[in-house]
Amino acid sequence: MSARFIPLAEPDLSGNEEAYVTDAIRSGWISSTGKYVDRFEATFAQFCGTKIALSVVNGTCALHLALLGLGVGVGDEVIVPSLTYIATANAVRYVGAEPVFADIDTANWCIDPTAIQKAITPKTKGIIAVHLYGHPADMDAINAVASAHSLWVLEDAAEAHGALYKGRPAGSLATAAIFSFYGNKIVSSGEGGAITLDDPALAARLKLLRGQGMDPERRYHFLEIGYNFRLTNVACALLCAQLERAEEMAANRAAIFASYREKLANVPGIGFQPVADWARPAPWLFPITVDDELFGCSRDALMARLADNGIETRPFFPPLHLQRPYAAAWRKRGGDLSVTKRIAQTGMLLPTYAALSDADIGRVAAAVRAAGR
Ligand SMILES: *Cc1c(COP(=O)(O)O)cnc(C)c1O
Protein backbone atom coordinates (compact mmCIF):
# COMPACT_ATOMS: atom_id res chain seq x y z
CA MET A 1 0.00 0.00 0.00
CA SER A 2 1.46 3.33 -0.95
CA ALA A 3 1.31 6.22 1.48
CA ARG A 4 -0.98 9.19 0.95
CA PHE A 5 0.38 11.87 -1.39
CA ILE A 6 1.60 15.00 0.42
CA PRO A 7 1.44 18.03 -1.89
CA LEU A 8 3.73 21.04 -1.48
CA ALA A 9 0.91 23.50 -0.84
CA GLU A 10 -2.85 23.65 -0.45
CA PRO A 11 -5.07 26.68 0.14
CA ASP A 12 -6.87 26.95 3.49
CA LEU A 13 -10.46 27.95 2.66
CA SER A 14 -12.10 26.77 5.88
CA GLY A 15 -13.51 30.12 7.07
CA ASN A 16 -16.07 32.47 5.49
CA GLU A 17 -14.64 32.07 1.97
CA GLU A 18 -17.60 30.17 0.55
CA ALA A 19 -20.19 32.37 2.31
CA TYR A 20 -18.64 35.62 1.06
CA VAL A 21 -18.13 34.36 -2.51
CA THR A 22 -21.76 33.17 -2.57
CA ASP A 23 -22.84 36.56 -1.27
CA ALA A 24 -20.84 38.34 -3.97
CA ILE A 25 -22.40 36.14 -6.67
CA ARG A 26 -25.95 36.57 -5.35
CA SER A 27 -25.48 40.35 -5.22
CA GLY A 28 -24.57 40.38 -8.91
CA TRP A 29 -21.39 42.35 -8.17
CA ILE A 30 -18.85 40.05 -9.79
CA SER A 31 -16.64 42.59 -11.59
CA SER A 32 -14.17 45.03 -10.13
CA THR A 33 -16.50 47.20 -8.04
CA GLY A 34 -18.40 46.10 -4.96
CA LYS A 35 -18.33 46.07 -1.20
CA TYR A 36 -15.71 43.31 -0.94
CA VAL A 37 -13.22 45.32 -3.04
CA ASP A 38 -13.65 48.28 -0.70
CA ARG A 39 -13.55 46.13 2.43
CA PHE A 40 -10.50 44.21 1.28
CA GLU A 41 -8.55 47.34 0.41
CA ALA A 42 -9.36 48.94 3.78
CA THR A 43 -8.58 45.77 5.76
CA PHE A 44 -5.38 44.99 3.91
CA ALA A 45 -4.04 48.53 4.40
CA GLN A 46 -4.68 48.08 8.12
CA PHE A 47 -3.01 44.64 8.06
CA CYS A 48 0.12 46.18 6.49
CA GLY A 49 0.11 49.36 8.54
CA THR A 50 -0.21 51.62 5.49
CA LYS A 51 -2.66 54.37 4.59
CA ILE A 52 -3.60 52.78 1.27
CA ALA A 53 -3.92 49.33 -0.32
CA LEU A 54 -4.93 48.83 -3.96
CA SER A 55 -6.17 45.47 -5.23
CA VAL A 56 -4.56 44.32 -8.48
CA VAL A 57 -5.23 41.33 -10.72
CA ASN A 58 -2.05 39.44 -9.68
CA GLY A 59 1.35 40.01 -8.13
CA THR A 60 3.12 40.32 -11.47
CA CYS A 61 0.75 43.08 -12.60
CA ALA A 62 1.19 44.73 -9.19
CA LEU A 63 4.94 44.90 -9.88
CA HIS A 64 4.33 46.19 -13.41
CA LEU A 65 1.84 48.81 -12.20
CA ALA A 66 4.13 49.97 -9.38
CA LEU A 67 7.01 50.48 -11.83
CA LEU A 68 4.73 52.39 -14.22
CA GLY A 69 3.54 54.56 -11.35
CA LEU A 70 7.11 55.24 -10.26
CA GLY A 71 7.86 56.43 -13.79
CA VAL A 72 10.45 53.78 -14.69
CA GLY A 73 11.14 53.52 -18.42
CA VAL A 74 13.58 52.93 -21.25
CA GLY A 75 17.22 53.51 -20.30
CA ASP A 76 16.60 53.08 -16.57
CA GLU A 77 18.13 50.42 -14.35
CA VAL A 78 16.49 48.75 -11.38
CA ILE A 79 18.50 46.68 -8.89
CA VAL A 80 16.92 43.33 -8.04
CA PRO A 81 18.06 40.05 -6.50
CA SER A 82 18.72 37.12 -8.83
CA LEU A 83 17.30 34.61 -6.33
CA THR A 84 13.59 35.38 -6.75
CA TYR A 85 10.60 34.48 -8.86
CA ILE A 86 11.05 35.66 -12.46
CA ALA A 87 8.17 38.15 -12.19
CA THR A 88 10.41 40.52 -10.19
CA ALA A 89 12.76 41.00 -13.15
CA ASN A 90 10.15 40.59 -15.92
CA ALA A 91 8.20 43.60 -14.63
CA VAL A 92 11.34 45.74 -15.02
CA ARG A 93 11.61 44.65 -18.65
CA TYR A 94 7.86 45.27 -19.24
CA VAL A 95 8.49 49.00 -18.76
CA GLY A 96 11.58 48.91 -20.99
CA ALA A 97 14.12 49.15 -18.17
CA GLU A 98 16.99 46.80 -17.31
CA PRO A 99 17.15 44.66 -14.17
CA VAL A 100 20.61 44.67 -12.59
CA PHE A 101 21.23 41.69 -10.34
CA ALA A 102 22.79 42.06 -6.91
CA ASP A 103 23.89 39.20 -4.67
CA ILE A 104 22.10 38.11 -1.51
CA ASP A 105 23.29 38.19 2.09
CA THR A 106 24.30 34.83 3.61
CA ALA A 107 22.71 36.04 6.86
CA ASN A 108 19.12 36.00 5.52
CA TRP A 109 19.20 35.12 1.78
CA CYS A 110 17.71 38.52 0.85
CA ILE A 111 19.36 41.20 -1.32
CA ASP A 112 22.60 42.47 0.25
CA PRO A 113 22.75 46.26 0.87
CA THR A 114 26.52 46.25 0.18
CA ALA A 115 25.96 44.51 -3.16
CA ILE A 116 23.25 47.07 -3.99
CA GLN A 117 25.73 49.88 -3.32
CA LYS A 118 28.20 48.33 -5.79
CA ALA A 119 25.54 47.89 -8.50
CA ILE A 120 24.44 51.54 -8.54
CA THR A 121 25.18 53.49 -11.76
CA PRO A 122 23.97 56.89 -13.02
CA LYS A 123 21.08 55.00 -14.69
CA THR A 124 19.81 53.41 -11.47
CA LYS A 125 16.31 54.56 -10.53
CA GLY A 126 15.33 52.18 -7.77
CA ILE A 127 15.62 48.90 -5.91
CA ILE A 128 13.23 45.98 -5.59
CA ALA A 129 13.85 44.22 -2.26
CA VAL A 130 12.33 40.73 -2.18
CA HIS A 131 11.42 39.27 1.22
CA LEU A 132 12.62 35.83 0.13
CA TYR A 133 10.62 32.87 1.40
CA GLY A 134 8.94 35.22 3.86
CA HIS A 135 12.09 36.56 5.55
CA PRO A 136 12.17 40.38 5.45
CA ALA A 137 15.14 42.03 3.73
CA ASP A 138 17.27 44.42 5.81
CA MET A 139 15.11 47.42 4.94
CA ASP A 140 16.79 50.09 7.10
CA ALA A 141 20.15 49.42 5.42
CA ILE A 142 18.53 49.24 1.96
CA ASN A 143 16.57 52.47 2.50
CA ALA A 144 19.75 54.20 3.69
CA VAL A 145 21.61 53.26 0.48
CA ALA A 146 18.58 54.33 -1.55
CA SER A 147 18.14 57.71 0.06
CA ALA A 148 21.85 58.50 -0.29
CA HIS A 149 21.35 58.10 -4.08
CA SER A 150 17.76 59.46 -4.32
CA LEU A 151 16.36 56.08 -5.35
CA TRP A 152 12.93 54.62 -4.60
CA VAL A 153 12.56 51.20 -2.96
CA LEU A 154 9.81 48.73 -3.77
CA GLU A 155 9.19 45.74 -1.49
CA ASP A 156 8.32 42.51 -3.27
CA ALA A 157 6.36 41.03 -0.36
CA ALA A 158 4.65 38.37 -2.49
CA GLU A 159 5.77 35.68 -0.03
CA ALA A 160 5.76 37.73 3.16
CA HIS A 161 2.19 38.53 4.28
CA GLY A 162 2.39 39.37 7.98
CA ALA A 163 6.20 39.33 8.25
CA LEU A 164 7.68 41.86 10.68
CA TYR A 165 10.90 43.88 10.36
CA LYS A 166 11.93 45.41 13.70
CA GLY A 167 8.28 45.12 14.67
CA ARG A 168 6.98 46.88 11.53
CA PRO A 169 4.90 44.93 8.99
CA ALA A 170 6.10 43.98 5.52
CA GLY A 171 4.31 46.25 3.08
CA SER A 172 4.99 49.40 5.12
CA LEU A 173 8.78 49.46 4.87
CA ALA A 174 9.51 51.34 1.62
CA THR A 175 8.14 53.69 -1.05
CA ALA A 176 5.55 51.02 -1.89
CA ALA A 177 5.14 47.25 -1.68
CA ILE A 178 3.55 44.54 -3.78
CA PHE A 179 1.83 41.32 -2.67
CA SER A 180 0.64 38.19 -4.49
CA PHE A 181 -2.41 36.13 -3.59
CA TYR A 182 -1.62 33.21 -5.93
CA GLY A 183 -2.96 29.79 -4.87
CA ASN A 184 0.12 28.72 -2.91
CA LYS A 185 0.73 32.02 -1.11
CA ILE A 186 0.02 32.57 2.60
CA VAL A 187 -3.12 34.64 1.87
CA SER A 188 -4.77 33.60 -1.37
CA SER A 189 -7.60 34.23 -3.79
CA GLY A 190 -6.27 31.82 -6.43
CA GLU A 191 -4.95 34.73 -8.49
CA GLY A 192 -4.68 38.22 -7.06
CA GLY A 193 -2.32 40.96 -5.94
CA ALA A 194 -2.07 44.27 -4.13
CA ILE A 195 0.07 47.38 -3.78
CA THR A 196 0.41 49.02 -0.36
CA LEU A 197 1.69 52.55 0.17
CA ASP A 198 1.22 55.81 2.09
CA ASP A 199 1.59 58.41 -0.69
CA PRO A 200 -1.86 59.57 -1.91
CA ALA A 201 -0.47 61.18 -5.08
CA LEU A 202 1.26 57.95 -6.15
CA ALA A 203 -1.89 55.99 -5.24
CA ALA A 204 -4.02 58.26 -7.46
CA ARG A 205 -1.59 57.67 -10.32
CA LEU A 206 -1.69 53.88 -9.76
CA LYS A 207 -5.52 53.90 -9.73
CA LEU A 208 -5.60 55.83 -12.99
CA LEU A 209 -3.20 53.39 -14.66
CA ARG A 210 -5.02 50.37 -13.18
CA GLY A 211 -8.31 51.54 -14.75
CA GLN A 212 -7.38 52.18 -18.42
CA GLY A 213 -6.20 55.76 -17.75
CA MET A 214 -9.75 56.99 -17.25
CA ASP A 215 -10.24 60.52 -15.97
CA PRO A 216 -11.57 60.16 -12.40
CA GLU A 217 -13.70 63.29 -12.99
CA ARG A 218 -15.21 62.28 -16.34
CA ARG A 219 -16.21 58.68 -17.10
CA TYR A 220 -15.13 57.35 -20.49
CA HIS A 221 -12.72 60.18 -21.04
CA PHE A 222 -9.17 58.95 -20.96
CA LEU A 223 -6.13 60.96 -19.96
CA GLU A 224 -3.53 58.47 -21.15
CA ILE A 225 -3.04 54.84 -22.14
CA GLY A 226 -3.66 52.74 -19.05
CA TYR A 227 -4.21 49.08 -18.30
CA ASN A 228 -6.94 46.81 -16.99
CA PHE A 229 -5.25 45.51 -13.85
CA ARG A 230 -8.37 45.45 -11.63
CA LEU A 231 -9.22 42.57 -9.28
CA THR A 232 -12.80 41.26 -9.01
CA ASN A 233 -15.25 41.60 -6.13
CA VAL A 234 -15.43 37.76 -6.09
CA ALA A 235 -11.67 37.47 -5.52
CA CYS A 236 -11.83 40.23 -2.89
CA ALA A 237 -14.64 38.30 -1.13
CA LEU A 238 -12.21 35.37 -0.81
CA LEU A 239 -9.50 37.73 0.46
CA CYS A 240 -11.80 39.30 3.07
CA ALA A 241 -12.44 35.84 4.50
CA GLN A 242 -8.71 34.99 4.36
CA LEU A 243 -7.76 38.16 6.22
CA GLU A 244 -10.20 37.37 9.03
CA ARG A 245 -8.04 34.33 9.75
CA ALA A 246 -4.64 35.71 8.77
CA GLU A 247 -3.30 35.51 12.34
CA GLU A 248 -4.63 31.99 12.81
CA MET A 249 -3.27 30.80 9.46
CA ALA A 250 0.14 32.32 10.21
CA ALA A 251 0.16 30.60 13.62
CA ASN A 252 -0.66 27.23 11.97
CA ARG A 253 2.21 27.66 9.56
CA ALA A 254 4.58 28.85 12.28
CA ALA A 255 3.83 25.64 14.20
CA ILE A 256 4.67 23.61 11.08
CA PHE A 257 7.96 25.52 10.72
CA ALA A 258 8.79 24.86 14.39
CA SER A 259 8.00 21.17 14.00
CA TYR A 260 10.24 20.84 10.91
CA ARG A 261 13.07 22.65 12.71
CA GLU A 262 12.74 20.30 15.67
CA LYS A 263 12.41 17.10 13.64
CA LEU A 264 15.28 17.98 11.27
CA ALA A 265 17.62 19.42 13.89
CA ASN A 266 21.00 17.68 13.98
CA VAL A 267 20.60 16.05 10.57
CA PRO A 268 24.14 16.52 9.22
CA GLY A 269 24.14 18.57 6.03
CA ILE A 270 20.57 19.92 6.34
CA GLY A 271 20.51 23.70 6.87
CA PHE A 272 17.76 26.22 7.58
CA GLN A 273 17.19 29.80 6.42
CA PRO A 274 18.98 31.95 9.01
CA VAL A 275 16.58 34.26 10.86
CA ALA A 276 17.89 37.74 11.72
CA ASP A 277 17.24 38.88 15.28
CA TRP A 278 15.21 41.80 13.91
CA ALA A 279 12.95 39.57 11.83
CA ARG A 280 9.73 37.72 12.34
CA PRO A 281 9.52 35.89 9.00
CA ALA A 282 6.19 35.00 7.44
CA PRO A 283 6.09 31.19 7.36
CA TRP A 284 5.48 30.47 3.67
CA LEU A 285 7.00 27.18 2.43
CA PHE A 286 9.64 25.64 4.71
CA PRO A 287 13.08 26.06 3.08
CA ILE A 288 16.08 23.80 3.72
CA THR A 289 19.54 23.54 2.17
CA VAL A 290 21.31 20.28 1.42
CA ASP A 291 25.10 20.05 1.70
CA ASP A 292 25.67 16.94 -0.41
CA GLU A 293 29.06 16.03 1.13
CA LEU A 294 27.79 16.21 4.70
CA PHE A 295 24.32 14.87 4.00
CA GLY A 296 25.48 12.08 1.68
CA CYS A 297 23.23 12.87 -1.26
CA SER A 298 22.50 15.87 -3.46
CA ARG A 299 19.51 18.21 -3.26
CA ASP A 300 18.14 16.78 -6.51
CA ALA A 301 18.61 13.19 -5.34
CA LEU A 302 16.83 14.02 -2.08
CA MET A 303 13.93 15.55 -4.01
CA ALA A 304 13.69 12.38 -6.12
CA ARG A 305 13.71 10.18 -3.00
CA LEU A 306 10.91 12.24 -1.45
CA ALA A 307 8.91 12.08 -4.70
CA ASP A 308 9.24 8.27 -4.56
CA ASN A 309 7.70 8.50 -1.09
CA GLY A 310 4.76 10.54 -2.36
CA ILE A 311 6.08 13.84 -1.02
CA GLU A 312 6.07 16.86 -3.31
CA THR A 313 8.90 19.39 -2.92
CA ARG A 314 10.30 22.22 -5.01
CA PRO A 315 13.85 23.41 -5.66
CA PHE A 316 14.74 27.03 -4.90
CA PHE A 317 14.24 29.47 -7.76
CA PRO A 318 16.92 28.90 -10.40
CA PRO A 319 18.85 32.21 -10.40
CA LEU A 320 17.45 34.72 -12.90
CA HIS A 321 20.87 35.73 -14.23
CA LEU A 322 21.21 32.21 -15.66
CA GLN A 323 17.75 32.21 -17.31
CA ARG A 324 17.58 32.64 -21.07
CA PRO A 325 15.95 36.12 -21.07
CA TYR A 326 18.64 37.54 -18.74
CA ALA A 327 21.81 35.47 -19.21
CA ALA A 328 23.35 37.43 -22.09
CA ALA A 329 22.94 40.82 -20.41
CA TRP A 330 24.39 39.45 -17.21
CA ARG A 331 27.42 37.89 -18.94
CA LYS A 332 28.17 41.26 -20.48
CA ARG A 333 27.84 43.14 -17.22
CA GLY A 334 29.33 40.56 -14.87
CA GLY A 335 29.27 40.79 -11.12
CA ASP A 336 29.59 38.51 -8.13
CA LEU A 337 26.50 36.37 -7.52
CA SER A 338 28.30 33.55 -5.73
CA VAL A 339 26.04 33.42 -2.66
CA THR A 340 22.97 33.36 -4.91
CA LYS A 341 24.44 30.48 -6.91
CA ARG A 342 25.36 28.41 -3.87
CA ILE A 343 22.03 28.84 -2.06
CA ALA A 344 19.98 28.30 -5.24
CA GLN A 345 21.80 25.04 -6.05
CA THR A 346 21.35 23.53 -2.61
CA GLY A 347 17.94 24.81 -1.51
CA MET A 348 14.51 23.19 -1.60
CA LEU A 349 11.06 23.80 -0.12
CA LEU A 350 9.12 21.30 2.00
CA PRO A 351 5.30 20.93 2.13
CA THR A 352 3.63 23.63 4.26
CA TYR A 353 -0.15 24.06 4.59
CA ALA A 354 -2.79 24.03 7.32
CA ALA A 355 -4.07 20.50 6.68
CA LEU A 356 -0.58 19.01 7.14
CA SER A 357 -0.66 16.99 10.37
CA ASP A 358 2.23 16.54 12.75
CA ALA A 359 2.33 12.90 11.64
CA ASP A 360 2.72 14.11 8.03
CA ILE A 361 5.60 16.37 9.09
CA GLY A 362 7.10 13.37 10.86
CA ARG A 363 6.79 11.34 7.67
CA VAL A 364 8.52 14.07 5.63
CA ALA A 365 11.31 14.42 8.21
CA ALA A 366 11.82 10.65 8.42
CA ALA A 367 12.02 10.42 4.62
CA VAL A 368 14.64 13.21 4.61
CA ARG A 369 16.70 11.46 7.30
CA ALA A 370 16.45 8.12 5.47
CA ALA A 371 17.91 9.67 2.31
CA GLY A 372 21.03 10.87 4.12
CA ARG A 373 23.84 8.74 5.44
C1 LIG B 1 4.48 34.74 -6.44
C2 LIG B 1 5.50 35.81 -6.62
C3 LIG B 1 5.32 36.89 -7.52
C4 LIG B 1 4.23 36.96 -8.56
O1 LIG B 1 2.96 36.83 -8.15
P1 LIG B 1 1.78 36.32 -9.12
O2 LIG B 1 0.57 36.67 -8.31
O3 LIG B 1 1.96 34.85 -9.31
O4 LIG B 1 1.84 37.08 -10.38
C5 LIG B 1 6.27 37.90 -7.54
N1 LIG B 1 7.35 37.85 -6.75
C6 LIG B 1 7.59 36.83 -5.92
C7 LIG B 1 8.82 36.85 -5.08
C8 LIG B 1 6.67 35.76 -5.84
O5 LIG B 1 6.94 34.72 -5.03
Side-chain angles (χ1 to χ4, degrees), residues 45-217:
Q46 221 168 27
F47 180 78
C48 294
T50 56
K51 294 200 180 97
I52 304 156
L54 300 174
S55 56
V56 183
V57 70
N58 59 50
T60 305
C61 289
L63 281 163
H64 186 181
L65 182 60
L67 294 174
L68 289 165
L70 290 163
V72 184
V74 177
D76 295 340
E77 292 178 356
V78 177
I79 299 173
V80 302
S82 173
L83 187 60
T84 177
Y85 185 52
I86 197 155
T88 314
N90 282 354
V92 176
R93 283 269 178 92
Y94 295 164
V95 297
E98 196 55 31
V100 173
F101 299 113
D103 209 359
I104 52 170
D105 190 337
T106 46
N108 52 48
W109 303 351
C110 295
I111 195 164
D112 181 349
T114 315
I116 291 174
Q117 179 77 50
K118 286 186 194 143
I120 292 173
T121 77
K123 293 180 177 174
T124 308
K125 288 295 183 309
I127 300 155
I128 305 179
V130 179
H131 303 319
L132 190 76
Y133 301 134
H135 190 297
D138 188 358
M139 295 307 295
D140 283 352
I142 293 167
N143 285 328
V145 175
S147 69
H149 293 87
S150 306
L151 309 175
W152 49 258
V153 180
L154 180 63
E155 291 172 70
D156 182 339
E159 304 165 359
H161 320 67
L164 296 178
Y165 174 77
K166 300 183 181 174
R168 283 138 53 205
S172 70
L173 306 169
T175 313
I178 74 94
F179 288 85
S180 165
F181 306 117
Y182 181 68
N184 67 16
K185 300 288 161 77
I186 299 174
V187 170
S188 178
S189 52
E191 296 278 3
I195 301 178
T196 54
L197 71 169
D198 285 326
D199 177 357
L202 178 56
R205 175 111 196 96
L206 295 172
K207 275 189 192 173
L208 185 95
L209 291 166
R210 179 181 66 174
Q212 303 282 24
M214 190 161 76
D215 185 346
E217 310 295 327

Side-chain angles (χ1 to χ4, degrees), residues 260-297:
Y260 272 131
R261 278 184 182 265
E262 185 199 310
K263 291 179 170 69
L264 292 172
N266 315 318
V267 179
I270 297 296
F272 303 134
Q273 184 171 23
V275 177
D277 54 10
W278 37 256
R280 188 190 81 182
W284 184 42
L285 300 171
F286 190 74
I288 59 170
T289 52
V290 183
D291 178 326
D292 45 3
E293 303 238 311
L294 272 175
F295 183 63
C297 109

